[in-house]
Amino acid sequence: MNESKPNGETATAVATATPASEPPREKLTKKAITADHPTWCPGCGDFAVLASFYKVLEKRQLEHEKIVTLAGIGCSSRFPYFVNGHGAHYIHGRAVPLASGISLARPDLHVFLFGGDGDGFSIGGNHLDHGARKNINMTYFIMDNFVYGLTKKQTSPTSPIGFKSKTDPTGAIDQPVNPMKKLISAGATFIARTHAANVTHMIQLIERAFDHQGFSVIECLSECVEFFPDVFDPANPKKGGSFEVIQEKKWDNTPEDELRHDVTDELAAYKLASLPFPGVFGVFYETDRPTKNSLEKKWIENTREKTGNASDLEVLQKTFDKMK
Ligand SMILES: Cc1ncc(C[n+]2csc(CCOP(=O)(O)OP(=O)(O)O)c2C)c(N)n1
Ligand code: SF4
Ligand SMILES: [Mg+2]
């Protein structure tokens, strides 16, 4: 299990402390994690994402009661129904604020957030920006299918120009969002991209995002076979495409390393994000920046000290008294 992910030193102690009287834990199996039968269309890319997530939970043997899966609204956002753990299918686009509150109030939990391109980049775009800049500890997995699937084929913020949908019957005319660029500029501290047809790669990235302290986001090209079929074939070797993986620097002083990508270089990440579709896959950007969780914890501790360790009620009463 990853001991370092829950935020801060105290949180780690909370997450790992097992009372002497507690019986040994049963192994966390796929059966134990699996909840309802997924209700996606046969062939939907989201199935592979769920399977990869189960694999990571099983591999990491997280404490079952510490797993939280959250989502907004959309086909992809049905995700929490299918995971046996704490979770909520929340308001369209508002899952980041919900996840932020849970992450800050319960730093011992593993907060996983799932959703679609509409949920994350359209109605929830503003929340995404603020979760990123505040670097709130969570792992956000965005299943990007370039369309609103649940509501049956409207143009989404990632739909390419020319895409014919119910909202653009003659073809989309608006410049799509570039998820990697948006996340880099917003200040997310772990930003990666994968494809639902490549389960091994997806699992690797979920694990890396999970190990990261802070706001980690993975955009996953996940095909909507109903309303935008075959759009991701150019990045699927099984369908004649190529899946180009970002070669990260190994810092081994070899001439080859000069050409490899430095994941801490924002500008280099931005250049990678500018490559034409289907682009490249892997970690675009990763940096260490204090999380809001750790900063807020410090601030609370300092404030407590200043108030002579007054109770919450005493602090509240003092504040009310000042208002009189
Ligand atoms: C406030 C609000 N506005 C609009 C909707 C209707 N709605 C539900 S899901 C959705 C878009 C879903 O698209 P996406 O997030 O890409 O998920 P997908 O279904 O493609 O996985 C919309 C517009 C809603 N439920 N709530
Ligand atoms: S409509 Fe599209 S995104 Fe929704 S379940 Fe079906 S294939 Fe998946
Ligand atoms: Mg979508």
Side-chain angles (χ1 to χ4, degrees), residues 46 73-76 92 116-119 123 143 145 147-151:
D46 297 353
I73 300 288
C75 291
S76 40
H92 190 32
D117 40 317
D119 194 78
I123 191 167
M143 285 160 265
N145 53 14
V147 66
Y148 289 177
L150 185 76
T151 45

Side-chain angles (χ1 to χ4, degrees), residues 14-317:
V14 172
T16 55
T18 309
S21 57
E22 201 176 290
R25 282 179 174 269
E26 274 180 32
K27 205 167 172 265
L28 188 68
T29 58
K30 186 183 166 204
K31 195 172 168 218
I33 309 158
T34 307
D36 268 359
H37 181 69
T39 49
W40 293 307
C41 308
C44 176
D46 297 353
F47 281 104
V49 179
L50 183 65
S52 306
F53 184 60
Y54 286 155
K55 277 253 180 286
V56 171
L57 294 187
E58 240 188 326
K59 188 171 169 197
R60 293 301 184 103
Q61 285 297 302
L62 305 187
E63 290 172 327
H64 203 162
E65 71 281 10
K66 307 257 178 196
I67 300 165
V68 184
T69 51
L70 304 165
I73 300 288
C75 291
S76 40
S77 291
R78 289 185 189 141
F79 213 93
Y81 285 133
F82 314 137
V83 182
N84 191 9
H86 297 299
H89 187 201
Y90 197 51
I91 308 168
H92 190 32
R94 310 300 194 262
V96 169
L98 174 70
S100 301
I102 293 171
S103 171
L104 291 169
R106 286 291 305 271
D108 56 312
L109 302 181
H110 305 283
V111 178
F112 297 98
L113 181 54
F114 294 90
D117 40 317
D119 194 78
F121 301 127
S122 193
I123 191 167
N126 189 37
H127 294 305
L128 178 67
D129 284 352
H130 295 290
R133 85 180 164 85
K134 294 176 184 181
N135 199 24
I136 299 170
N137 206 25
M138 69 181 78
T139 297
Y140 188 7
F141 199 100
I142 302 178
M143 285 160 265
D144 191 357
N145 53 14
F146 291 7
V147 66
Y148 289 177
L150 185 76
T151 45
K152 305 190 173 179
K153 200 175 186 177
Q154 291 81 24
T155 300
S156 98
T158 50
S159 302
I161 290 172
F163 175 59
K164 287 188 180 151
S165 73
K166 287 186 182 137
T167 42
D168 279 302
T170 54
I173 51 172
D174 298 320
Q175 174 73 21
V177 162
N178 180 316
M180 296 294 102
K181 286 185 180 176
K182 176 174 170 65
L183 289 159
I184 296 163
S185 57
T189 52
F190 180 95
I191 305 164
R193 187 167 182 257
T194 187
H195 190 310
N198 194 332
V199 169
T200 312
H201 191 255
M202 229 185 326
I203 292 173
Q204 282 167 3
L205 287 193
I206 297 172
E207 286 200 81
R208 276 185 68 178
F210 172 68
D211 286 336
H212 177 78
Q213 284 282 335
F215 196 81
S216 54
V217 192
I218 300 170
E219 179 214 8
C220 175
L221 302 184
S222 179
E223 184 180 331
C224 173
V225 290
E226 263 311 295
F227 300 120
F228 207 168
D230 305 329
V231 58
F232 303 134
D233 288 0
N236 184 353
K238 285 180 215 141
K239 291 192 169 183
S242 72
F243 184 80
E244 200 186 323
V245 177
I246 295 168
Q247 299 303 315
E248 289 176 41
K249 273 202 190 298
K250 296 182 180 163
W251 306 105
D252 57 5
N253 281 325
T254 59
E256 307 88 83
D257 212 38
E258 294 285 314
L259 302 171
R260 294 190 187 121
H261 176 56
D262 173 3
V263 291
T264 65
D265 184 339
E266 216 175 288
L267 218 57
Y270 207 82
K271 277 189 190 151
L272 282 183
S274 303
L275 292 170
F277 182 79
V280 287
F281 298 87
V283 178
F284 281 64
Y285 186 65
E286 183 171 16
T287 191
D288 266 339
R289 184 153 56 76
T291 61
K292 182 173 174 74
N293 308 63
S294 62
L295 295 171
E296 199 172 80
K297 182 170 175 275
K298 232 184 261 168
W299 173 73
I300 291 170
E301 283 166 2
N302 289 344
T303 310
R304 279 218 183 284
E305 215 178 290
K306 273 189 208 153
T307 60
N309 285 323
S311 69
D312 290 349
L313 187 64
E314 285 167 335
V315 172
L316 198 65
Q317 188 59 56

